[in-house]
């Protein structure tokens, strides 16, 4: 659901929502935010609660009948989550009582909050920057302990502060370059004596560190798509089942068993891997199988990593070579020599110029642990540092960081030649803008709408 564009404008009407999940629970919370909640609080509670003190109150309907009794927290502006007055009514967590409470708030002039609208207000009132606001949503969404730790780091502003440090170093360099523009005769000396080249190199090194921490965090959040491909009957579906620990795909000794793509998500050390089993690749006149093979190639187009399975008894055949030739050039490929129980080989990893090969038996399980380790290594996950220091970066953050990296690379060329200083100044300005988009200083309303509409209601 998309946030209406109007809610991106700083609104000060009163919003209310049930902040706890639907269903029954010990406690349910109705949360209200607005510029002046005194009247509403007094009407529902009979008196104004003390700020930031838990108090026991009756929650009253329009006839002064008690809807529920519970704890109330009142945070007057500006010391609240949204920066406005915030009132939390902690009642009993049943759908009927929660709806009665919410309806009462709406009768008193509140409007139902849009998804993420409380956090949007916090952002617009500068309680949080955009990366922190995204950290809130990512923390709620986190499905592993590692992901939760990363998200909380973003929420506490560690990611934002790394970005701010980069931006501030970049501003220093920009000031220098812009000043040099005013004295063109002395430009080389001026930049040299101010160590401009060193300043830029140090920014690039820091950016590289942030990028690497962000990539690791992004892996934790989004995981990677791994496509299993190869000739029919080599054991692709068997491997999917083995890694998933369940009989997901049909396995038979008949070549051409799998027709459709079969998707299953698993986790290795908290990293989500989205496995996609596909139809065996071969020349065929069977129309259903042809469709399956087309889907297999379509899945490969979307893959982050391909496992090319081969029968260990025959190794990489000329058919496999023609499959390899069709794969996108940049796509990492692991060759898996399966069925070593039949070929009599030992489980092992071999690395050469053509890439990494792993020998295993899906049937006996020998070499499967090795495969798990290699999978993590291939996606850049360093087990020893795991989630330490990783930032819960989203795709848009990675793109902004990569864009800034490219602009700085271009700036480097101009700086070394001390030529075309106007262009250099412009590259630096754009790099700063790219970085600032992460924390929300340069962000379009459309993007804000998209980000906040993906929150749950009540947050
Ligand atoms: N001996 C042995 N047999 C295996 C091994 N892995 C899979 N098989 C057998 O090989 C046959 C084919 O396995 P599948 O997993 O269906 O192969 P596939 O690559 O998915 O085949 P298609 O779906 O036809 O493309 C089955 O009979 C499996 O039991 C293995 O490591 N050792
Ligand atoms: Mg199969």
């Amino acid at each position: 659901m998309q946030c209406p564009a109007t809610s991106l404008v700083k609104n000060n009407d009163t919003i209310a929502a049930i902040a706890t999940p639907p269903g029954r629970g010990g406690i349910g919370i109705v949360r209200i935010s607005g510029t002046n909640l005194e009247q509403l609080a007094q009407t529902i509670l009979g008196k104004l609660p003390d700020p930031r003190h838990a108090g026991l109150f009756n929650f009253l309907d329009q006839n002064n009948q008690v809807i529920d009794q519970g704890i109330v927290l009142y945070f007057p502006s500006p010391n609240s989550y949204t920066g406005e007055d915030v009132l939390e009514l902690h009642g009993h967590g049943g759908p009927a009582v929660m709806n009665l409470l919410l309806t009462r708030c709406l009768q008193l002039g509140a409007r139902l909050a849009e998804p993420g609208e409380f956090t949007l207000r916090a952002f617009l009132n500068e309680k949080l920057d955009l990366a922190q606001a995204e950290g809130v949503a990512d923390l709620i969404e986190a499905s592993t302990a590692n992901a939760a730790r990363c998200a909380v780091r973003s929420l506490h502003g560690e990611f934002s502060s790394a970005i701010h440090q980069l931006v501030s170093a970049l501003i220093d360099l920009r000031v220098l370059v812009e000043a040099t523009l005013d004295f063109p005769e002395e430009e080389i000396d001026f930049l040299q004596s101010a160590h401009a080249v060193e300043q830029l190199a140090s920014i690039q090194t820091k950016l590289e560190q942030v990028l690497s921490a962000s990539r690791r965090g992004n892996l934790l959040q989004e995981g990677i798509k791994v496509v299993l491909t190869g000739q029919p009957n080599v054991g692709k579906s068997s491997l999917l089942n083995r890694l998933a620990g369940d009989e997901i795909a049909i396995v038979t000794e008949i070549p051409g068993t799998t027709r459709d793509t079969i998707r299953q998500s698993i986790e290795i050390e908290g990293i989500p891997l989205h496995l996609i089993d596909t139809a065996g690749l071969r020349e065929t006149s069977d129309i259903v199988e042809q469709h399956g093979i087309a889907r297999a190639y379509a899945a490969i187009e979307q893959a982050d990593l391909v496992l090319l399975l081969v029968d260990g008894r025959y190794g990489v055949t000329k058919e496999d070579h023609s499959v390899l030739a069709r794969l996108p050039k940049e796509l990492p490929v692991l060759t898996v020599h399966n069925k070593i129980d039949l070929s009599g080989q030992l489980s092992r990893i071999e690395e050469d110029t053509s890439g990494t090969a792993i020998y295993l038996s899906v049937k006996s399980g020998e070499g499967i642990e090795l495969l798990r380790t290699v999978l993590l290594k291939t996606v850049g996950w360093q087990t020893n540092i795991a989630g330490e220091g990783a930032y819960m970066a989203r795709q848009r953050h990675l793109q902004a960081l990569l864009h800034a990296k490219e602009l700085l690379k271009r700036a480097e060329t101009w700086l070394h030649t001390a030529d075309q200083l106007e262009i250099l100044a412009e590259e630096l300005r754009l790099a700063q803008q790219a970085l600032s988009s992460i924390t929300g200083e340069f962000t379009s309303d459309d993007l804000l709408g998209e980000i906040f509409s993906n929150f749950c209601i009540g947050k």
Side-chain angles (χ1 to χ4, degrees):
M1 197 192 345
Q2 199 74 23
C3 254
T6 49
S7 55
L8 297 178
V9 180
K10 217 167 175 175
N11 257 334
N12 51 13
D13 57 348
T14 300
I15 52 171
I18 301 171
T20 36
R24 292 176 170 78
I27 294 170
I29 301 175
V30 171
R31 194 185 217 187
I32 308 139
S33 180
T35 37
N36 185 359
L37 295 185
E38 286 191 13
Q39 183 62 46
L40 184 143
Q42 258 173 351
T43 315
I44 296 187
L45 305 169
K47 64 173 178 151
L48 196 64
D50 290 336
R52 282 175 295 284
H53 274 87
L56 184 66
F57 284 83
N58 285 332
F59 307 151
L60 306 171
D61 70 9
Q62 63 272 37
N63 304 317
N64 277 343
Q65 298 283 316
V66 177
I67 299 171
D68 192 6
Q69 187 184 52
I71 300 294
V72 173
L73 291 175
Y74 173 48
F75 304 92
S77 162
N79 302 314
S80 69
Y81 181 69
T82 58
E84 303 174 330
D85 285 355
V86 169
L87 189 67
E88 287 185 4
L89 308 176
H90 297 224
H92 293 91
V97 66
M98 282 293 108
N99 279 324
L100 280 171
L101 264 183
L102 180 62
T103 308
R104 184 71 187 119
C105 297
L106 302 183
Q107 278 170 355
L108 293 171
R111 133 177 101 69
L112 202 55
E114 299 287 339
E117 200 171 358
F118 290 91
T119 310
L120 174 66
R121 288 187 175 197
F123 168 69
L124 294 174
N125 289 325
E126 295 176 18
K127 288 276 164 184
L128 302 163
D129 67 29
L130 196 54
Q132 287 178 300
E134 289 169 315
V136 172
D138 293 340
L139 182 58
I140 294 171
E141 287 293 317
S143 52
T144 66
N146 259 340
R149 282 198 199 98
C150 265
V152 97
R153 226 173 274 136
S154 289
L155 172 57
H156 281 166
E158 279 185 41
F159 183 40
S160 305
S161 112
I163 300 297
H164 285 310
Q165 281 172 24
L166 278 171
V167 168
S168 117
L170 207 49
I171 290 174
D172 290 346
L173 183 58
R174 282 189 62 202
V175 168
L176 191 65
V177 173
E178 304 270 351
T180 313
L181 282 175
D182 297 335
F183 306 99
E185 318 77 47
E186 302 149 42
E187 59 196 25
I188 295 186
D189 290 349
F190 192 65
L191 287 171
Q192 264 171 7
S193 64
H195 302 291
V197 172
E198 290 81 355
Q199 279 191 36
L200 179 60
S202 139
I203 296 171
Q204 285 174 305
T205 312
K206 278 194 205 112
L207 177 62
E208 217 36 78
Q209 287 161 356
V210 175
L211 196 52
S212 140
S214 306
R215 280 205 178 103
R216 281 186 286 128
N218 185 256
L219 264 184
L220 273 176
Q221 187 189 35
E222 296 189 0
I224 54 155
K225 288 195 212 78
V226 183
V227 171
L228 311 181
T229 188
Q231 304 301 304
N233 228 24
V234 291
K236 301 178 293 297
S237 303
S238 306
L239 180 59
L240 175 85
N241 292 349
R242 168 67 83 165
L243 290 172
D246 203 355
E247 295 301 311
I248 310 284
I250 299 172
V251 168
T252 75
E253 65 287 352
I254 305 164
T257 298
T258 306
R259 305 297 187 91
D260 237 328
T261 45
I262 301 172
R263 289 158 202 269
Q264 177 67 28
S265 293
I266 62 161
E267 256 177 40
I268 305 180
E269 289 192 22
I271 305 285
L273 295 189
H274 311 292
L275 302 176
I276 304 158
D277 178 26
T278 58
L281 305 172
R282 64 169 170 185
E283 291 295 325
T284 174
S285 53
D286 183 318
I287 297 204
V288 181
E289 207 177 339
Q290 282 173 359
H291 277 293
I293 292 170
R295 286 187 176 203
Y297 278 112
I300 287 170
E301 289 293 324
Q302 304 293 318
D304 299 306
L305 169 67
V306 159
L307 297 191
L308 176 72
L309 272 81
V310 302
D311 189 318
R313 290 170 293 182
Y314 317 115
V316 181
T317 61
K318 80 173 188 317
E319 286 80 8
D320 294 317
H321 279 296
S322 51
V323 171
L324 281 169
R326 278 190 67 173
L327 299 181
K329 288 286 159 286
E330 300 299 311
L331 186 58
V333 180
L334 268 179
T335 310
V336 178
H337 294 252
N338 185 25
K339 308 196 186 184
I340 58 169
D341 56 303
L342 297 179
S343 65
Q345 290 157 303
L346 292 174
S347 67
R348 65 186 188 281
I349 299 170
E350 271 182 10
E351 306 216 26
D352 62 24
T353 46
S354 62
T356 307
I358 173 156
Y359 293 74
L360 53 78
S361 165
V362 174
K363 188 172 181 183
S364 73
E366 212 183 322
I368 293 290
E369 268 320 301
L370 219 50
L371 175 65
R372 287 189 222 270
T373 318
V374 173
L375 278 172
L376 288 184
K377 199 171 146 222
T378 313
V379 301
W381 188 251
Q382 292 152 287
T383 306
N384 53 339
I385 51 173
E388 289 302 309
Y391 302 128
M392 184 54 91
R394 297 178 168 202
Q395 268 314 325
R396 78 165 193 97
H397 302 147
L398 286 182
Q399 269 162 20
L401 288 167
L402 285 169
H403 186 43
K405 178 179 163 171
E406 199 189 307
L407 288 159
L408 292 184
K409 184 101 205 109
R410 294 215 294 257
E412 192 187 329
T413 319
W414 297 118
L415 191 55
H416 276 289
T417 53
D419 194 11
Q420 309 278 0
L421 286 190
E422 287 85 0
I423 304 182
L424 168 65
E426 180 62 5
E427 308 278 27
L428 294 177
R429 188 185 69 80
L430 292 174
Q432 183 190 339
Q433 207 175 72
L435 291 174
S436 297
S437 73
I438 294 176
T439 43
E441 277 102 64
F442 292 97
T443 312
S444 70
D445 274 4
D446 287 353
L447 178 64
L448 289 181
E450 193 183 313
I451 289 172
F452 286 100
S453 65
N454 283 318
F455 275 64
C456 39
I457 291 199
K459 192 67 225 176

